């Protein structure tokens, strides 16, 4: 075997494995198959790989037509059709909410989680079964591409790497965890948390966005064995965003964004997820209006919220609370001709980009967040030297803190103060901070993220080569 080529730009053989894939299929009214581009930051970030490398992408079949495509086999996208009951347990009981809640520290431990028989059943007959189906699909693909690096994504797939490793001891495996890695996993029974750690440690490379998450993982994992733990923050496709910001669709939405906009606009853009801390954001804004009468009638908060995971009761409840608290702020402070909070619950990505261009303050205050792409996208295209108010628990804070106004996400008073500071900041300071953010994002495009990871895969492969050469 020749030593692996370390040149980062050469064409590679990759198998990407993620729950959601780059495309989903449906049928139109006439019965013709149609292809839809998958959403989300992950798919956008990885799409660049498709152009330059030999990539097979393995993902779950999520529509009826996906299942038909899965049965046909072949192609660069392999869709795995799961048993419906297994998928329900895997996705709606274990991955979201249990793992998501543990990893974002969202549980109030006095009353939740209840790891009851049903949850143990969902772990065994859902999460493990779906992970096994993914592992089998990876092993079948490795038979076609034995030199490929397998690149797993996220918390849906913690068990699959160990399952693959047992069947293919020499496979090259890597895993990127897109969400936080907390210090405290004690809400999970030991068998579950040990299986998660063991699954990840079957990889040659385990990667996180930040040093903080990587450090927590390393501290809890014990002996790392063959695994290298690294951290590289994901980023955005700067060229694509520049084009998008200048596009007709975004310009049209900018004109419609807020006829008769107030003097100052605070914007937030989020999925309706409890980790995003939307309710505390409204409460902090209410506190600002209570304590600083001078802002009444002059500043409004525009919240563009993409409805998320509404089949999970806690998510449906959270959206109801969002609507209630936004109304309460409006009832208390609203006046003829001025609405304090404008809430729009819709999936309209172009509207989000339009709002990025127009904010005076961008509020990104998650309880915890693996990274948070909004904190990079907004400053890249903003036209008003707007100020970023950023949670210290967002992964992006590690990179962006020197230009942002930092907040603790639980500190309502602190967030109200931060909003006041951001709204009152002088022009020169706002310009300097906005420029710092923009330049940082420009210089650290998503390509840097991918190249850094590919270099890590090379290093791991070189190390394995060294080991086998010595044998
Ligand atoms: C996870 C981690 C990590 C905006 N409006 C709409 C819409 N967007 C786009 C944004 C942005 C994306 O959605 C949201 O990305 P985030 O990073 O803020 O958050 P998560 O969805 O929680 O992503 C996160 C990320 O993975 C990548 O590793 O940064 O920490 O939680 O790109 O522009 N998308 C849709 N409709 C909209 O109206 N579909």
């Amino acid at each position: 075997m020749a030593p692996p080529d370390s040149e980062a730009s050469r064409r590679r053989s990759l198998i990407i494995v993620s729950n959601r894939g780059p495309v989903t299929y449906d049928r139109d009214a006439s019965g013709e198959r149609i292809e839809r581009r998958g959403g989300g930051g992950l798919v956008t970030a990885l799409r660049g790989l498709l152009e330059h490398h030999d990539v097979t992408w393995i993902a779950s079949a999520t529509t009826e037509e996906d299942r038909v495509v899965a049965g046909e086999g072949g192609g660069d996208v392999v869709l795995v059709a799961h048993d419906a009951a297994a998928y329900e347990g895997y996705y709606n009981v274990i991955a979201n909410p249990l793992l998501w809640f543990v990893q974002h520290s969202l549980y109030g431990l006095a009353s939740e989680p209840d790891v009851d028989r049903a949850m143990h059943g969902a772990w065994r007959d859902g999460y493990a079964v779906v992970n096994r189906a993914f592992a089998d699909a990876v092993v079948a693909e490795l038979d076609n591409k034995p030199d490929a690096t397998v690149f797993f994504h996220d918390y849906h797939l913690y068990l699959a790497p160990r399952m693959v490793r047992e069947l293919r001891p020499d496979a090259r495996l890597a895993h990127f965890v897109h969400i936080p890695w907390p210090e405290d996993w004690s809400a999970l029974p030991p068998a579950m948390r040990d299986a998660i750690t063991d699954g990840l440690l079957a990889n040659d490379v385990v990667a996180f966005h930040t040093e903080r998450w990587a450090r927590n993982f390393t501290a809890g994992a014990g002996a790392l064995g063959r695994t290298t733990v690294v951290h590289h923050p994901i980023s955005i496709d700067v060229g694509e965003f520049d084009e998008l910001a200048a596009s007709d669709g975004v310009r049209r939405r900018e004109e419609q964004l807020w006829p008769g906009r107030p003097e100052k606009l605070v914007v937030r853009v989020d999925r309706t997820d409890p980790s995003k801390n939307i309710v505390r954001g409204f409460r902090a804004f209410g506190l600002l209006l209570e304590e600083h009468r001078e802002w009444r009638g002059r500043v409004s908060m525009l919240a563009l919220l993409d409805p998320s995971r509404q089949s999970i009761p806690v998510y449906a409840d959270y959206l109801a609370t969002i609507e209630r608290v936004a109304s309460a702020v409006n009832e208390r402070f609203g006046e003829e001709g001025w609405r304090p909070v404008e809430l729009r619950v819709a999936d309209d990505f172009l509207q989000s980009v339009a709002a990025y261009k127009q904010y005076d303050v961008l509020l990104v205050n998650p309880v915890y967040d693996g990274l948070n792409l909004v904190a990079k996208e907004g400053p890249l295209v903003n036209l008003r030297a707007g100020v970023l108010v950023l949670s210290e628990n967002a992964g992006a804070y590690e990179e962006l803190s020197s230009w942002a106004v930092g907040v603790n996400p639980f500190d309502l008073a602190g967030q109200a103060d931060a909003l006041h500071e951001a709204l009152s900041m002088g022009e020169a300071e706002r310009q300097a901070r906005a420029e710092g953010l923009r330049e940082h994002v420009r210089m650290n495009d998503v390509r840097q993220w991918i190249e850094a990871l590919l270099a890590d895969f090379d290093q791991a492969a070189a190390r394995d080569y060294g080991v086998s050469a010595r044998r």
Side-chain angles (χ1 to χ4, degrees), residues 39-42 44-45 100 104 154 176-180 209 234 236 241 269-271 273 275-276 304-307 309 346-353 356 364 368-375 377 395 449:
L42 165 75
T44 308
W100 182 272
H104 291 83
D154 243 347
F176 197 95
V177 179
H178 290 257
I179 66 175
H209 288 304
I234 203 169
I236 57 180
F241 252 89
V269 173
D270 286 294
R271 287 183 302 101
D273 191 297
S275 68
K276 303 295 184 182
L304 302 182
L305 305 180
D306 180 13
R309 303 176 188 166
D347 178 354
D348 187 347
F349 173 60
L350 297 184
Q351 181 177 239
S352 302
V353 179
Y356 289 159
V364 180
Y368 281 97
D369 217 327
L371 182 92
N372 195 292
L373 287 167
V374 172
E377 294 166 353
W449 176 74

Side-chain angles (χ1 to χ4, degrees), residues 180-347:
W181 196 273
E183 280 172 80
D184 185 5
W185 282 76
S186 63
L188 286 191
M192 288 185 193
R193 50 182 209 247
D194 292 349
I196 288 169
T197 305
D198 179 63
L200 281 172
L201 290 178
N203 291 289
D204 301 289
V205 176
V206 174
F208 298 89
H209 288 304
T210 67
E211 203 210 334
R212 183 180 182 186
W213 315 141
R215 203 177 44 229
N216 287 346
F217 176 76
T218 306
L224 294 179
R226 69 185 298 146
T227 308
T228 308
V229 180
V230 299
H231 54 95
H232 301 296
I234 203 169
S235 192
I236 57 180
D237 186 329
V238 168
E240 192 183 39
F241 252 89
D242 283 342
E243 274 178 37
L244 206 59
S247 69
D248 289 345
V250 168
R251 282 178 196 277
R252 227 174 302 122
R253 281 170 179 78
E254 238 177 304
E255 286 159 17
Q256 297 157 357
L257 198 60
W258 200 323
R261 63 173 281 160
E263 184 188 324
K264 297 270 187 185
L265 200 54
V266 178
V267 166
R268 71 172 309 139
V269 173
D270 286 294
R271 287 183 302 101
T272 56
D273 191 297
S275 68
K276 303 295 184 182
N277 214 18
I278 297 159
V279 170
R280 282 201 192 84
F282 291 151
R283 293 211 169 107
F285 186 60
L287 188 57
L288 170 84
L289 297 176
E290 184 183 320
E291 294 179 341
H292 290 277
R293 302 185 70 91
E294 72 272 23
W295 289 121
R296 295 187 194 174
R298 292 171 56 207
V299 56
S300 288
M301 178 182 271
L302 174 63
L304 302 182
L305 305 180
D306 180 13
S308 182
R309 303 176 188 166
Q310 290 299 297
S311 58
I312 302 173
V314 63
Y315 280 80
D317 293 348
Y318 190 63
L319 179 49
T321 309
I322 286 170
E323 286 168 342
R324 190 167 44 73
V325 175
S327 298
V329 173
N330 284 340
E331 271 160 36
R332 174 144 182 227
F333 298 103
E335 294 161 10
E336 181 70 35
W338 170 63
R339 197 167 345 121
V341 176
E342 169 81 4
L343 176 62
R344 295 194 194 155
V345 180
D347 178 354

Side-chain angles (χ1 to χ4, degrees), residues 385-403:
V387 181
L388 173 65
V389 174
L390 182 60
S391 165
E392 62 183 359
N393 288 343
Y397 190 78
E398 229 171 67
E399 279 174 89
L400 306 181
S401 63
S402 48
W403 304 290

Side-chain angles (χ1 to χ4, degrees), residues 47-60:
R47 196 171 284 120
L49 286 170
L50 298 176
E51 288 157 28
H52 304 294
H53 302 283
D54 167 19
V55 176
T56 307
W57 199 317
I58 302 179
S60 291

